[in-house]
Amino acid sequence: MRVYIAGSGAMGCRFGHSLSKTDHEVILLDNWEDHIQAIRENGLKVTGDFDETVKLPIMKPTEAVEVADLIILLTKADQLPKMLQDIKGIIGEQTKVLSLLNGLGHATTMRRYVPDESIMVGVTIWLAGLKGPGHAHLEGPGSIFLQNMSGDGQAVAHIVDMFNQAGLNATYDENVIESIWRKACVNGVMNPTCTIMDCTIGELFGTEGGLNLVQGIFKEFIAVARAEVGNIDEEGIWKYIMETSKKASHHYPSMHQDLIQHGRKTEIDYLNGAVVFKGKRVGISTPYCQMMTDMVHAKEAMLGLR
Ligand code: NAD
């Protein structure tokens, strides 16, 4: 298969690195000039669980011309519409397009550029970071859950196989929307809170006030998720949040890294902001999510990011 990774930051490089071990043709797409130049000149350097450099083709999205068999979307959420616009030319009749972005609402964006039968959505709990242009730092285990819109798992079994050949631990999930909500819920309770309070996950969960906030946000996510997807495993998701908070207690969530550590715009509009938006449509009030969204927007504005 010809596989493009559309958005080759930390996660795109993680996927590019693993898929480069298979016999599929893998091409990175990105707009970050220094990153493109570093990978073209020196290859993609990978440290952490690995210590190697792999050669991978990389180009700007608008430079890609050969039609794809698979496109894996791994931009940040607000970069997605432009990426889809830029890669329209490589989406053919047989091309599958898979979003593995965090957050909610990406299928709606994809529908503006990709026919329903070609859309796949998923969620991944692999982690990745960038040390600098052309240098990814990869640590820890992970997995991928994915599904196509048509719900016909057989039609995309070869894509699941490809990820597994690459060691990426993929499963076809007949209810991926619940998995997406579960991950969004974890991100929605930890990301804006730790970002605004400038604290680790353990510090947040170790205080009564922090835990109250987490519970307030959680209840809103569950109410809106239930209205959107029906049955949702509230108890299981809460258990997952508490387990994650213990495992990652010393970590700052990715939103903290983006906004506070690197001064980059966040994905809040696709987490708590999306819950506010969806809540309004079904008449569910979401004051905690509204406040988190406003606070993160305000901080972004203070840093000149909006
Ligand atoms: P990223 O910020 O590393 O990359 C996104 C885009 O930003 C890329 O185009 C990248 O080239 C560009 N970029 C990154 N650093 C830059 C810099 N210093 N200067 C200029 N451009 C820069 O994003 P990511 O972490 O790969 O996340 C992609 C998607 O995957 C997001 O939806 C994220 O929430 C999700 N996700 C990330 C992780 C993770 O561990 N990183 C885990 C699960 C899901």
Side-chain angles (χ1 to χ4, degrees):
M1 280 195 285
R2 179 177 299 119
V3 183
Y4 288 95
I5 301 184
S8 298
M11 280 303 267
C13 287
R14 145 101 52 204
F15 277 66
H17 169 254
S18 297
L19 291 168
S20 74
K21 312 287 177 188
T22 68
D23 49 13
H24 298 283
E25 182 188 355
V26 182
I27 303 149
L28 305 178
L29 301 179
D30 210 81
N31 278 310
W32 182 13
E33 300 274 3
D34 293 349
H35 193 51
I36 294 175
Q37 201 184 332
I39 293 175
R40 280 197 181 143
E41 283 174 11
N42 311 314
L44 171 64
K45 183 175 156 81
V46 183
T47 52
D49 292 343
F50 307 87
D51 186 9
E52 60 183 356
T53 299
V54 292
K55 278 279 172 202
L56 271 172
I58 182 163
M59 60 185 77
K60 291 196 171 181
T62 48
E63 290 167 355
V65 287
E66 300 214 69
V67 169
D69 295 300
L70 173 68
I71 300 172
I72 305 169
L73 299 170
L74 276 167
T75 60
K76 288 287 198 192
D78 64 349
Q79 301 167 327
L80 184 61
K82 180 167 188 322
M83 176 60 81
L84 286 164
Q85 176 67 33
D86 286 350
I87 59 173
K88 266 189 346 198
I90 58 169
I91 304 177
E93 274 180 24
Q94 305 301 321
T95 307
K96 300 284 181 223
V97 186
L98 166 66
S99 162
L100 288 176
L101 277 69
N102 272 339
L104 303 164
H106 305 311
T108 308
T109 307
M110 290 168 80
R111 279 200 176 102
R112 303 209 300 263
Y113 305 89
V114 186
D116 266 20
E117 60 274 17
S118 305
I119 296 182
M120 300 175 69
V121 287
V123 64
T124 176
I125 53 170
W126 287 103
L127 293 173
L130 282 178
K131 292 272 185 195
H135 180 178
H137 193 75
L138 310 179
E139 278 181 328
S143 55
I144 307 169
F145 296 89
L146 56 85
Q147 188 180 21
N148 50 354
M149 285 294 200
S150 64
D152 172 10
Q154 274 312 312
V156 293
H158 61 294
I159 293 174
V160 176
D161 286 348
M162 176 200 73
F163 283 129
N164 286 326
Q165 264 173 35
L168 285 165
N169 194 14
T171 307
Y172 186 82
D173 181 348
E174 298 204 338
N175 192 12
V176 85
I177 187 71
E178 186 175 0
S179 306
I180 290 173
W181 269 99
R182 183 187 306 118
K183 177 106 193 267
C185 214
V186 176
N187 292 144
V189 300
M190 296 176 182
N191 282 10
T193 40
C194 291
T195 302
I196 294 304
M197 284 186 275
D198 193 7
C199 66
T200 62
I201 294 166
E203 286 169 333
L204 175 75
F205 278 72
T207 63
E208 194 185 332
L211 210 49
N212 284 344
L213 267 177
V214 165
Q215 279 166 340
I217 299 167
F218 173 72
K219 292 275 176 214
E220 292 178 4
F221 266 76
I222 293 295
V224 175
R226 196 166 273 143
E228 184 169 293
V229 304
N231 205 12
I232 189 124
D233 178 12
E234 177 172 357
E235 207 179 303
I237 297 179
W238 179 253
K239 198 165 153 234
Y240 182 65
I241 287 174
M242 295 311 284
E243 281 167 10
T244 308
S245 76
K246 289 192 185 91
K247 275 192 227 148
S249 71
H250 297 298
H251 289 229
Y252 289 94
S254 59
M255 189 179 287
H256 184 283
Q257 293 170 26
D258 283 337
L259 188 63
I260 307 298
Q261 299 174 30
H262 300 300
R264 297 180 65 202
K265 214 171 154 204
T266 72
E267 295 183 306
I268 190 75
D269 289 338
Y270 305 86
L271 291 168
N272 307 67
V275 170
V276 173
F277 178 76
K278 287 169 183 286
K280 277 187 187 142
R281 279 201 317 216
V282 291
I284 295 174
S285 143
T286 54
Y288 279 97
C289 284
Q290 180 72 65
M291 180 178 275
M292 287 298 124
T293 307
D294 286 340
M295 288 176 94
V296 173
H297 281 170
K299 188 73 186 168
E300 287 174 339
M302 285 172 209
L303 295 172
L305 302 170
R306 63 169 57 238

